[in-house]
């Protein structure tokens, strides 16, 4: 039985290590993306930065879920974690959609406002 527990812990350790490397690569990717967007002369660069921020938070939440699933005690615990994640993601999606629509409305309002 100790052999099974040690192999489970070995798999968890390997998954945790891989997740850590993925997090690091993800952080580096988003840093590079932000640098590119910061130097962009495009008029939609600020909206792209905002969208990038949303993506970064979603990916981070997914990594957090993965970390929790690696340490789940059983299937019911894993299902509970996934259910909570789904609910949080739906709330986040609603917030993102509202923020993006407000941003789009402001941008559109600026296009049609009279120039003095």
């Amino acid at each position: 039985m100790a052999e099974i527990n040690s192999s489970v812990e070995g798999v968890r350790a390997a998954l945790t290590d891989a997740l850590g490397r993925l997090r690091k690569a993800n952080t580096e990717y988003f840093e590079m993306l932000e640098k590119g967007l910061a130097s962009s002369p495009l008029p939609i660069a600020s909206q792209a930065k905002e969208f990038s921020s949303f993506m970064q938070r979603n990916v981070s939440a997914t990594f957090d879920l993965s970390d929790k699933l690696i340490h789940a005690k059983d299937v019911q615990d894993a299902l509970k974690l996934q259910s909570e994640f789904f609910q949080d993601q739906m709330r986040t999606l609603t917030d993102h959609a509202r923020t993006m629509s407000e941003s789009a409305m402001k941008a559109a309002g600026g296009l049609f406002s009279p120039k003095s």
Side-chain angles (χ1 to χ4, degrees):
M1 190 66 159
E3 213 174 285
I4 292 173
N5 284 340
S6 65
S7 66
V8 168
E9 289 307 314
V11 169
R12 283 184 173 158
L15 289 171
T16 300
D17 182 54
L19 187 60
R21 288 187 306 230
L22 284 170
R23 280 184 190 265
K24 183 176 185 271
N26 178 63
T27 299
E28 291 170 359
Y29 168 76
F30 278 106
E31 286 172 358
M32 187 172 53
L33 181 62
E34 286 174 17
K35 285 180 186 175
L37 291 172
S39 64
S40 175
L42 296 174
I44 61 165
S46 64
Q47 285 86 6
K49 287 180 197 174
E50 190 174 352
F51 184 71
S52 173
S53 175
F54 291 153
M55 287 187 335
Q56 190 171 10
R57 282 182 270 179
N58 289 336
V59 170
S60 180
T62 303
F63 283 141
D64 292 344
L65 171 66
S66 299
D67 189 45
K68 290 175 185 175
L69 287 174
I70 289 170
H71 297 94
K73 297 175 202 108
D74 54 27
V75 173
Q76 287 204 313
D77 191 25
L79 290 174
K80 179 183 174 225
L81 291 168
Q82 286 182 323
S83 175
E84 289 169 357
F85 173 77
F86 180 73
Q87 290 172 2
D88 288 343
Q89 286 300 95
M90 293 309 294
R91 279 190 292 274
T92 300
L93 176 64
T94 302
D95 291 342
H96 289 184
R98 183 177 53 250
T99 303
M100 292 299 283
S101 66
E102 288 170 359
S103 179
M105 293 300 285
K106 285 179 189 174
L111 290 174
F112 299 109
S113 64
K115 306 242 184 217
S116 315

